[in-house]
Amino acid sequence: MKQVLYVLLLCPVFMFAQSNNSPSTYDTHEIAITGYLQTQYQRAQSAGISSFSGGDFAENSKDRFMIRRGRLKIDRADKYSSIVFQIDATQNGVQLMDAFIQLHQPDSKALLFTAGLFNRPFGHSIVYSSGYRDFPERARVFQTLMPRERDLGAMLTFRPEGKFDFLTAEVAVINGSGHSSRDYDSKKDIVGNLGFKFDSLAYKKLHLGFGGSFYKGSVRSDTESYFTSDGNGFVKNTSPDNIDWNAKRDYYGANLQLQYDNTFGTTSFKAEYIGGTQPGIASSASIKGPTASMSFSSQPDTDLYLRPFSGYYLWLTQQIAKSRFSALLAYDSYDPNRDVTETEIGANNNNTTAADIKFNTLGYGMACLINSRMKLTVYNEHVVNDPTQLTGYLEDLKDDVFTVRLQYRW
């Protein structure tokens, strides 16, 4: 029992640095097999809702059992290199999640070269493993801009050793079309991240991390027209030269992680902000609002809409009396179009659609570390959107989601 409690108390420290872009250990080893399984029950406020809590609900269903993630990771490390291969097996089938090779010097891991399918090196939550994250899902803004987190490309990572070991610098060149798609144009996207991490401050009770990131990319236009914001909606720009033109897809972000080991129990606070320009399309009868502002995995065949967006999340975890229970509180916001208010969306001739609606989510719940491998999470998400002039969005949607999840990690 003492050993289990020891693991539980140290778990937040381990979670502070869990990155998907690495093998289970860089110590030389033959094949290592790790993974985790998340099985859950969910109940939605209404049947058939669009949801960022494990995907949309079926048209006539408002509750479901599902395998949210079934990850199996195989890795190997030797003197010069390592390899990682991970799949995700759920009721929807089997998908490749990670497949990359890393090269390094024989006596140092300060400089890494990674090639293959890996997590985009942007901010904190994208790279942080879902098997260790306190909250069931990543924030709506990151699921919209970087669905499934991964992409194909090559990356350089610099983690100096010695007195500058608090620094991590990463830059990657990627396709930009996501983790399961072939690139649909000749342009490549660039992602960069600069992170700082200071452990064991204030008599080893305070752990601090922060950083900044950028994403410089583009989306190819396949039509003669595209739409830009004029402050109250969109204006149409038409020219034959717009075919094969690339619209800017630019993001910038900042993140913060704090952990304090106090007498009541470990307190963890995480925050991340992202803003920039996102090329999307218009919402329609066949394309729901959240989908219309998502990043593309294939060539969009309708006119592009260039939206100035912003989003953030705030996550607070409080261990209760140094027990195996923790209270969870979260708030996230995603505004796909900062230039319009919800009351303007749907107004005559301003070309706005459901893809421009802002959503805020308040999440709260409890987590219990049953033992060193198993965790139970009970969580509710209250999702809010302001009324618009659009049919179907005249008032707040009834799209809250309640989740009970059991996770086993090995």
Side-chain angles (χ1 to χ4, degrees):
M1 184 64 181
K2 289 183 177 180
Q3 289 179 332
V4 172
L5 290 176
Y6 180 75
V7 172
L8 295 177
L9 293 176
L10 287 184
C11 191
V13 177
F14 296 153
M15 293 168 66
F16 197 71
Q18 289 295 333
S19 170
N20 272 327
N21 289 337
S22 63
S24 56
T25 175
Y26 282 105
D27 295 336
T28 300
H29 65 276
E30 290 299 324
I31 297 299
I33 300 176
T34 57
Y36 58 94
L37 176 66
Q38 296 174 345
T39 180
Q40 64 189 33
Y41 167 79
Q42 291 184 304
R43 185 172 180 84
Q45 196 174 8
S46 306
I49 64 167
S50 296
S51 176
F52 283 78
S53 298
D56 297 345
F57 282 72
E59 181 180 359
N60 299 307
S61 174
K62 65 177 181 180
D63 65 349
R64 64 189 180 189
F65 288 99
M66 65 185 300
I67 303 298
R68 179 61 185 95
R69 296 176 179 90
R71 300 292 170 84
L72 183 65
K73 182 177 180 180
I74 302 172
D75 63 75
R76 181 186 184 277
D78 59 32
K79 188 175 181 180
Y80 301 96
S81 63
S82 61
I83 183 171
V84 172
F85 184 85
Q86 182 175 207
I87 60 173
D88 184 33
T90 70
Q91 68 281 336
N92 299 321
V94 179
Q95 281 192 318
L96 180 65
M97 293 304 294
D98 295 295
F100 59 83
I101 299 170
Q102 284 187 336
L103 305 177
H104 54 77
Q105 294 176 305
D107 56 349
S108 173
K109 308 298 185 299
L111 186 64
L112 295 170
F113 173 76
T114 305
L117 176 65
F118 51 83
N119 280 250
R120 302 171 179 96
F122 189 100
H124 173 76
S125 68
I126 287 292
V127 179
Y128 196 80
S129 172
S130 296
Y132 290 89
R133 188 179 58 244
D134 293 331
F135 297 86
E137 304 297 339
R138 292 176 175 86
R140 176 185 289 255
V141 59
F142 286 101
Q143 292 192 56
T144 301
L145 301 177
M146 302 180 192
R148 302 310 296 267
E149 300 87 51
R150 284 111 173 135
D151 213 322
L152 283 155
M155 175 173 63
L156 281 175
T157 302
F158 179 56
R159 297 186 183 123
E161 299 167 344
K163 62 181 181 180
F164 294 105
D165 61 357
F166 57 83
L167 173 67
T168 298
E170 300 165 294
V171 62
V173 180
I174 58 176
N175 283 340
S177 52
H179 103 289
S180 59
S181 304
R182 295 181 179 181
D183 200 0
Y184 56 82
D185 63 16
S186 297
K187 300 285 187 179
K188 296 295 173 282
D189 296 355
I190 300 176
V191 192
N193 180 62
L194 184 63
F196 302 85
K197 184 167 69 72
F198 300 92
D199 287 333
S200 303
L201 302 174
Y203 301 101
K204 299 183 178 181
K205 293 184 177 181
L206 179 65
H207 311 277
L208 169 66
F210 58 91
S213 306
F214 72 89
Y215 187 110
K216 299 289 290 185
S218 64
V219 173
R220 181 185 175 276
S221 171
D222 203 39
T223 69
E224 293 186 352
S225 300
Y226 69 94
F227 290 80
T228 53
S229 174
D230 67 352
N232 297 307
F234 292 98
V235 293
K236 191 173 185 178
N237 305 272
T238 302
S239 169
D241 295 336
N242 291 333
I243 297 178
D244 206 28
W245 169 75
N246 283 76
K248 288 184 177 180
R249 178 189 175 191
D250 292 349
Y251 314 151
Y252 54 89
N255 62 86
L256 171 70
Q257 303 86 47
L258 287 170
Q259 180 181 301
Y260 183 61
D261 303 324
N262 51 73
T263 55
F264 183 72
T266 298
T267 302
S268 174
F269 174 75
K270 298 182 180 182
E272 194 160 359
Y273 172 86
I274 181 171
T277 301
Q278 172 74 343
I281 56 178
S283 179
S284 65
S286 59
I287 301 174
K288 296 181 180 179
T291 305
S293 64
M294 274 188 172
S295 296
F296 301 107
S297 59
S298 60
Q299 173 64 58
D301 55 9
T302 57
D303 295 342
L304 296 179
Y305 282 65
L306 276 60
R307 297 184 174 95
F309 74 90
S310 65
Y312 64 89
Y313 67 81
L314 307 170
W315 288 347
L316 178 65
T317 304
Q318 177 60 59
Q319 185 186 22
I320 300 174
K322 292 189 176 180
S323 71
R324 62 187 64 191
F325 294 92
S326 294
L328 309 177
L329 181 63
Y331 186 83
D332 75 68
S333 177
Y334 175 52
D335 187 353
N337 189 347
R338 297 195 313 265
D339 285 351
V340 297
T341 63
E342 269 52 46
T343 56
E344 296 173 313
I345 296 175
N348 290 334
N349 302 318
N350 73 353
N351 296 309
T352 55
T353 68
D356 301 292
I357 298 175
K358 177 181 179 180
F359 286 86
N360 300 316
T361 304
L362 173 66
Y364 49 90
M366 295 283 293
C368 175
L369 292 167
I370 299 171
N371 56 41
S372 60
R373 297 187 181 276
M374 194 176 300
K375 180 172 70 172
L376 175 67
T377 303
V378 179
Y379 196 75
N380 188 67
E381 288 181 306
H382 177 52
V383 185
V384 176
N385 62 278
D386 289 335
T388 73
Q389 299 184 44
L390 294 170
T391 302
Y393 298 90
L394 299 176
E395 58 185 15
D396 180 34
L397 301 178
K398 305 301 182 183
D399 53 355
D400 296 0
V401 178
F402 173 74
T403 301
V404 180
R405 173 183 293 176
L406 186 63
Q407 172 182 292
Y408 189 93
R409 182 166 50 85
W410 67 90

